[in-house]
Amino acid sequence: MNILRDKVLKMLDDAHVQYELIKLPAGISLDVADHMKFHGRPMKYALATMIYVTEKGMVAAQRRGDTKVSSKKLREVLGVKRLRLATQEELGKLGLTAGLVPPVALDIPLYADKKMLELTEIYTGAADNEYGMKTTPKELFKVSHPTMGDFAVYEEGVVQQRVLQGMRPTGRLHLGNYLGSAKGMVQLQNDPNYETYYMVADVHAITTPYTVAELGNKRRDVLIDYLSVGLDPEKSALFFQSMVPEHAELSFYLSSVMTVARMQHLPTFKEKAKQYPEHVTMALLNYPILMAADILLYKASMVPVGLDQEPHMEVAREVARKMNELYGMDFPEPQSLQTATRYVPSLLGEGKMSKSVEGSSIGLTDDLATIKKRLAGAPTDSGKGYIKNGIYFAKNAVVDGTGNVSPSNGVKSLLEFVEIFEGKEKRDEYEKQYVGSGIRYGDLKAELAEAIDRELAPIRERRNELEAKPAYVDKVIKEGAERAKLIASATVAEVKGKMGLG
Ligand code: ADP
Ligand code: TRP
């Protein structure tokens, strides 16, 4: 039994504070870093409470784990001249032990660094080394009522970079989206050096013709796909773009630094204008600026997108540079995550895999029978030929449904999928067969279908589970948007101030 812990918990319970007690492993050190390792969360989510001695008496100061207290700043906040950490003996007089100071019930004035307010989860101790506690600053402050101040500075090396990515809700995800983007999203989420914000770009969806009655379900579908591939709302903020109106607001401010001519020359704009000649709207022209706003709103430096998004990424970098030069902002120039599968070819062999090209894709939640059917539609050749500069040429020109195929681009696509799902050695084997005894495409496709199915099966299963939990999905989206809004509103306020609109 621990008297102080009981007092702390009683205070929290009396004030209906939401928290979770977490049993710590026996013998864990008092080091905060060890605790955060155990919780599997980055240092920034640790809450440290330090006790200081000043000429006016003792005070407690709370900071995030990725910051340190600047004694100059804290002296200013407290209005004192002298400041030092309390000794073990002085702590003892307060009934405390170094390393085990609880976040509430301290009986001395409490100050909290304002950077804590950006966090929607926080880990701290409960006055002993047996239990840790997870809560939020907002909940905790309901009891402790600290004086907020700006006295902590980021510690070198522990600053996390931010990541933002969005997908338009134009249909269910396919292997191109998964390999080109979603896998990278999961990888960055699980890397403690990054803080991840992932949205469904529903505002982008209205830049081309769409059906109002379908948008609601479509954006939800993408969000459930995000959860199905392993995005974890405990780690990533998951939300709909339109829930954070700062995206649209910032995009207008940013549009003032880019010319119409620059936007009209983008290949993506030209393609869409050709595809929808009746809908060449201002919103379509503004598409890349809205995407730049998405990224810059979070000051994100990393964006896990496929190769086709590179022209848009260049616009985002240009906007960042201009805003920094003209208005003294500090936007990082965002980079695309470089992965081996940034370009996933169409099953048909021409161009990239895309929702909008019939027969080009395999859906993320297709079952084995469907995967087989889609692979069956991939064009092949006689199975024998030669390879020159990575291009496959059949010995005899073959005729398939679409006429003469030479070179055999469909074969190239298939072998790329073999490499992705079955490994490079397998591809080498098939290439040997191609220039030798010949490939039997029936066998190749059957094996490839099994390999793809093995990777997709767990995603399908999670999707089925999630579809039965609508309230959970709603909660994830609501909380994700709240987290995003904290950062987004701060950036918009800063931009407005720098642009003379504050
Ligand atoms: P689609 O072209 O099928 O409409 P989106 O434009 O919605 O797909 O793309 C969503 C994300 O998936 C983007 O980051 C995009 O770069 C990526 N992506 C889409 N198709 C591919 C592909 N064939 N190869 C690699 N990445 C892709
Ligand atoms: N333009 C992206 C696509 O077509 C979607 C998108 C919107 C996006 N906003 C973004 C991607 C921000 C990355 C970051 O796929």
Side-chain angles (χ1 to χ4, degrees):
M1 202 184 79
N2 179 311
I3 296 169
L4 184 53
R5 183 175 85 208
D6 290 348
K7 183 175 167 195
V8 168
L9 298 186
K10 183 165 186 316
M11 279 182 83
L12 299 181
D13 290 337
D14 287 349
H16 305 290
V17 167
Q18 298 207 7
Y19 66 91
E20 193 184 318
L21 268 191
I22 303 168
K23 180 104 179 91
L24 298 170
I28 191 168
S29 80
L30 288 181
D31 192 339
V32 182
D34 285 341
H35 285 224
M36 295 314 284
K37 231 177 256 162
F38 168 71
H39 295 306
R41 300 298 284 140
M43 272 303 278
K44 69 184 284 192
Y45 297 108
L47 161 64
T49 308
M50 339 268 291
I51 309 291
Y52 289 92
V53 180
T54 77
E55 74 265 22
K56 292 186 186 166
M58 291 173 95
V59 297
Q62 289 179 331
R63 60 170 176 82
R64 292 165 38 159
D66 61 345
T67 61
K68 55 184 180 193
V69 167
S70 148
S71 41
K72 181 171 173 282
K73 284 188 164 196
L74 185 57
R75 278 200 311 266
E76 280 166 19
V77 167
L78 299 176
V80 298
K81 286 204 182 66
R82 281 181 298 130
L83 181 76
R84 63 167 174 82
L85 279 168
T87 62
Q88 190 68 258
E89 211 185 325
E90 286 160 332
L91 285 177
K93 280 185 204 151
L94 291 175
L96 302 172
T97 316
L100 296 176
V101 177
V104 297
L106 291 168
D107 300 329
I108 51 174
L110 175 67
Y111 290 78
D113 180 63
K114 67 173 196 187
K115 284 187 264 305
M116 283 177 62
L117 294 174
E118 287 167 19
L119 303 180
T120 44
E121 60 179 297
I122 196 110
Y123 293 83
T124 172
D128 61 21
N129 216 23
E130 234 178 281
Y131 286 96
M133 186 194 296
K134 179 189 175 186
T135 180
T136 69
K138 211 165 103 192
E139 285 293 308
L140 202 57
F141 294 167
K142 282 207 285 205
V143 188
S144 59
H145 306 292
T147 306
M148 299 308 298
D150 183 6
F151 55 78
V153 291
Y154 287 110
E155 204 167 4
E156 287 287 314
V158 276
V159 185
Q160 281 179 300
Q161 294 187 37
R162 294 210 188 103
V163 176
L164 179 115
Q165 151 69 342
M167 293 206 206
R168 284 173 307 139
T170 45
R172 299 288 305 280
L173 302 197
H174 53 70
L175 280 187
N177 306 135
Y178 175 61
L179 299 164
S181 183
K183 267 186 124 171
M185 292 161 76
V186 176
Q187 178 200 325
L188 292 172
Q189 160 193 275
N190 294 332
D191 183 333
N193 293 312
Y194 296 98
E195 180 179 289
T196 43
Y197 293 82
Y198 296 137
M199 57 169 209
V200 180
D202 56 352
V203 182
H204 274 99
I206 70 166
T207 61
T208 44
Y210 73 103
T211 309
V212 172
E214 286 175 0
L215 188 56
N217 277 338
K218 282 187 160 177
R219 65 180 189 181
R220 206 179 160 84
D221 264 340
V222 174
L223 202 117
I224 298 178
D225 276 341
Y226 279 179
L227 291 169
S228 307
V229 297
L231 291 180
D232 174 357
E234 293 269 324
K235 297 180 179 168
S236 299
L238 305 173
F239 59 102
F240 298 146
Q241 188 182 23
S242 61
M243 292 171 85
V244 184
E246 283 83 354
H247 287 255
E249 184 178 357
L250 182 63
S251 103
F252 192 86
Y253 303 147
L254 300 184
S255 71
S256 68
V257 302
M258 295 300 272
T259 65
V260 172
R262 172 74 174 92
M263 294 295 106
Q264 280 172 329
H265 277 118
L266 281 171
T268 42
F269 173 73
K270 288 184 185 162
E271 273 162 37
K272 284 275 169 355
K274 210 162 128 191
Q275 199 180 345
Y276 306 106
E278 310 287 313
H279 296 272
V280 187
T281 60
M282 292 305 295
L284 183 65
L285 188 63
N286 205 52
Y287 183 110
I289 306 282
L290 179 58
M291 179 162 156
D294 298 337
I295 299 167
L296 302 189
L297 206 42
Y298 302 90
K299 300 193 178 176
S301 51
M302 187 59 84
V303 184
V305 277
L307 196 62
D308 60 302
Q309 293 299 310
E310 222 32 66
H312 292 156
M313 291 302 296
E314 192 46 50
V315 170
R317 286 189 282 270
E318 245 174 86
V319 173
R321 280 196 295 272
K322 289 213 164 123
M323 291 300 292
N324 295 349
E325 278 164 24
L326 292 170
Y327 299 108
M329 287 299 299
D330 63 348
F331 290 125
E333 286 186 32
Q335 306 301 316
S336 314
L337 179 69
Q338 302 296 321
T339 64
T341 49
R342 289 196 74 205
Y343 181 88
V344 178
S346 160
L347 282 182
L348 303 176
E350 304 296 334
K352 68 158 196 153
M353 183 177 284
S354 170
K355 306 183 244 273
S356 47
V357 181
E358 192 59 37
S360 78
S361 64
I362 292 176
L364 196 57
T365 44
D366 284 350
D367 58 12
L368 181 59
T370 314
I371 297 170
K372 283 187 169 158
K373 205 169 79 201
R374 298 204 191 271
L375 284 178
T380 53
D381 58 13
S382 60
K384 268 189 199 182
Y386 61 96
I387 308 170
K388 207 174 146 189
N389 299 330
I391 301 174
Y392 300 77
F393 295 94
K395 262 200 186 120
N396 315 305
V398 286
V399 181
D400 67 3
T402 56
N404 285 346
V405 183
S406 172
S408 299
N409 291 330
V411 172
K412 185 168 160 56
S413 287
L414 273 181
L415 290 182
E416 266 162 36
F417 286 113
V418 165
E419 181 170 341
I420 294 169
F421 290 97
E422 300 179 80
K424 175 95 174 70
E425 276 165 28
K426 193 83 198 173
R427 180 183 187 156
D428 291 346
E429 237 174 74
Y430 281 126
E431 289 197 338
K432 252 189 224 141
Q433 291 177 11
Y434 193 72
V435 298
S437 58
I439 298 181
R440 292 150 62 103
Y441 289 114
D443 295 348
L444 179 151
K445 286 181 175 180
E447 248 184 68
L448 178 58
E450 299 279 351
I452 294 176
D453 183 61
R454 269 195 298 280
E455 178 137 356
L456 299 190
I459 300 176
R460 250 180 355 238
E461 261 166 48
R462 269 198 298 265
R463 169 109 207 165
N464 286 339
E465 285 163 20
L466 288 159
E467 275 174 356
K469 292 200 275 185
Y472 168 75
V473 175
D474 289 342
K475 183 166 161 271
V476 164
I477 300 169
K478 185 170 161 280
E479 290 179 1
E482 278 169 15
R483 267 162 82 178
K485 217 173 151 75
L486 279 174
I487 310 291
S489 55
T491 306
V492 163
E494 188 185 353
V495 169
K496 284 179 76 175
K498 295 252 158 97
M499 291 183 83
L501 301 165

